[in-house]
Amino acid sequence: MVEAQSFELLKTKRKSLRTAVTKVVNELEAELSNSDLNVDIYRLSELVETLCIKFEPLTLVDQQMEPLFKPEEFDGEFEIAEKYREKVLLCQFRAKKKINDLSKPRVTSPSLQTTLSQSQDEHFRNSDNIRIKVPKYHITRFYGDDASKWLTFWNSFETAVHNNEYLNKVDKFNYLKAHLGGSVLNTIEGFPISAKAYDEAVE
C-alpha cells in the first residue's frame, strides 16, 4: 500500500517536471527559430541554465521509478524517458552552438567568412549527428550491487560517452548519472553538475 502511494506520488511529480521541462524546451526552440539579429543571447543562456536545473530532478525521479515498474511496462517507460533526455540534450546543444556562434567576432572578409561558415557548419553537422546518436547506445544501468557487471558497464559507457570528444564533461556527467542507480548513484548524487565533479565521479 505504501509502495503504491509512493509510486503515485512519483508519477504526479514526474508529470509536473515533464511539463516544466517541455515548457523551457519550447521557449528555447522559439528563441532559436529567430534570426540571428533578433536572438537575445542572454535570454538564451538563461534558458539553457534553467533547462539544466529543471531536467536534473526529472532524471532523478525517472531513476526512482524504474524499480517500481512492472516488467511489461518497463520498456515503454524507459523509451519515453530516453526521448525526453534526447530532446533536452539536443536542445541544449543547439542553444550552446547558437550562443557560441553569436559570441564570435564578425569577419569582415566575405570570402573568409564563407570559408569559416562552411567549416563551422560541417563541424556542427558532425557534432549534431554524434550527439543524437549517443542516447541510442544500449548502456545497461549499473547499480553497484554486482561488482562483476562494472567492467561491462564501463566499457560501454567509455566507448559511447567518456571518449566522445564532441561531448563536454557536463554532458558526460549527466549521461553518467542517467545510467547509474542504487548505492552508486547515491554516492555522487550530491555532486554539482560540473566538469570537475565529473572527473571526481569517474575517479
Side-chain angles (χ1 to χ4, degrees), residues 140-150 180-185:
T140 302
R141 193 181 300 277
F142 181 67
Y143 291 89
D145 53 347
D146 186 350
S148 65
K149 296 179 180 179
W150 164 250
L180 294 179
S183 60
V184 180
L185 178 62

Side-chain angles (χ1 to χ4, degrees), residues 30-47:
E31 192 69 35
L32 289 169
S33 67
N34 292 329
S35 65
D36 288 354
L37 294 177
N38 294 323
V39 171
D40 184 341
I41 192 171
Y42 298 105
R43 176 58 177 161
L44 208 55
S45 299
E46 288 177 356
L47 288 171

Side-chain angles (χ1 to χ4, degrees), residues 64-114:
Q64 291 172 333
M65 292 182 69
E66 274 190 13
L68 304 177
F69 288 125
K70 297 176 182 177
E72 62 270 19
E73 297 175 331
F74 185 84
D75 287 345
E77 292 289 346
F78 184 76
E79 184 177 350
I80 293 173
E82 284 296 293
K83 286 181 178 178
Y84 267 91
R85 185 177 296 112
E86 181 177 339
K87 187 171 185 177
V88 167
L89 291 174
L90 179 58
C91 195
Q92 286 177 325
F93 173 71
R94 290 179 58 217
K96 290 175 182 178
K97 173 184 178 297
K98 177 68 73 173
I99 292 170
N100 184 59
D101 288 347
L102 295 177
S103 299
K104 291 178 180 178
R106 296 185 179 277
V107 181
T108 55
S109 169
S111 60
L112 182 56
Q113 178 67 54
T114 300

Side-chain angles (χ1 to χ4, degrees), residues 24-66:
V24 180
V25 167
N26 290 340
E27 289 183 44
L28 261 174
E29 290 179 338
E31 192 69 35
L32 289 169
S33 67
N34 292 329
S35 65
D36 288 354
L37 294 177
N38 294 323
V39 171
D40 184 341
I41 192 171
Y42 298 105
R43 176 58 177 161
L44 208 55
S45 299
E46 288 177 356
L47 288 171
V48 169
E49 182 65 22
T50 300
L51 183 58
C52 183
I53 292 171
K54 290 186 179 296
F55 183 58
E56 185 175 353
L58 175 58
T59 300
L60 178 59
V61 170
D62 282 334
Q63 292 167 351
Q64 291 172 333
M65 292 182 69
E66 274 190 13

